[in-house]
C-alpha cells in the first residue's frame, strides 16, 4: 500500500503594515549615474511589498547623476520618513526630497 501525502495550503498572512490609502508620497532622489543606483532605490519599496504608482528616471550625463522620482500611494508618514532616511543612507545617493498629496 502506498502512502498518500496531502499538503495543506495556509492562508496568506494578514497585512501587518499600517496603510493610508488617501496619501500619495513622491520621493525625489539624486544619485550617482551608476548601474546600481536605480535597483538599490527600488529595493527599499520592493522589500515592503510596495509597487510604485509612478516611476521616472532620467540620466543627467553632464552632471554624472541620475534623477529618480518614485510615487507611492498608501504609506503612513512614519514609513515614508523611514524609507527616505534609508534612501539617504545609500552611498550612491546624494539628495532625497519627499512631497505628499491627498488622493481619492
Amino acid at each position: 500500500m502506498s502512502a498518500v501525502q496531502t499538503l495543506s495550503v495556509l492562508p496568506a498572512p494578514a497585512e501587518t503594515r499600517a496603510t493610508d490609502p488617501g496619501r500619495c508620497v513622491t520621493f525625489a532622489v539624486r544619485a550617482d549615474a551608476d548601474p546600481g543606483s536605480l535597483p538599490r532605490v527600488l529595493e527599499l519599496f520592493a522589500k515592503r511589498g510596495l509597487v510604485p504608482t509612478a516611476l521616472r528616471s532620467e540620466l543627467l550625463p553632464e552632471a554624472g547623476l541620475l534623477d529618480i522620482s518614485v510615487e507611492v500611494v498608501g504609506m503612513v508618514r512614519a514609513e515614508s520618513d523611514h524609507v527616505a532616511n534609508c534612501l539617504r543612507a545609500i552611498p550612491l545617493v546624494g539628495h532625497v526630497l519627499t512631497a505628499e498629496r491627498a488622493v481619492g
Side-chain angles (χ1 to χ4, degrees):
M1 192 176 246
S2 65
V4 175
Q5 185 179 18
T6 59
L7 300 175
S8 61
V9 177
L10 298 176
E15 182 70 37
T16 57
R17 53 181 275 282
T19 61
D20 183 352
R23 184 170 182 259
C24 178
V25 182
T26 301
F27 298 85
V29 180
R30 281 278 173 102
D32 292 345
D34 183 276
S37 294
L38 189 57
R40 288 181 184 178
V41 167
L42 292 177
E43 176 185 27
L44 292 173
F45 300 96
K47 74 181 191 178
R48 288 170 174 77
L50 297 168
V51 177
T53 54
L55 171 66
R56 186 188 61 77
S57 175
E58 181 180 356
L59 178 63
L60 307 172
E62 66 284 347
L65 295 173
L66 194 58
D67 188 29
I68 304 166
S69 176
V70 182
E71 184 178 278
V72 180
V73 172
M75 297 177 87
V76 295
R77 181 173 307 276
E79 185 178 28
S80 62
D81 289 349
H82 178 71
V83 168
N85 287 330
C86 290
L87 288 167
R88 290 181 185 104
I90 297 172
L92 297 169
V93 172
H95 295 91
V96 177
L97 299 174
T98 60
E100 68 177 270
R101 64 180 171 83
V103 293

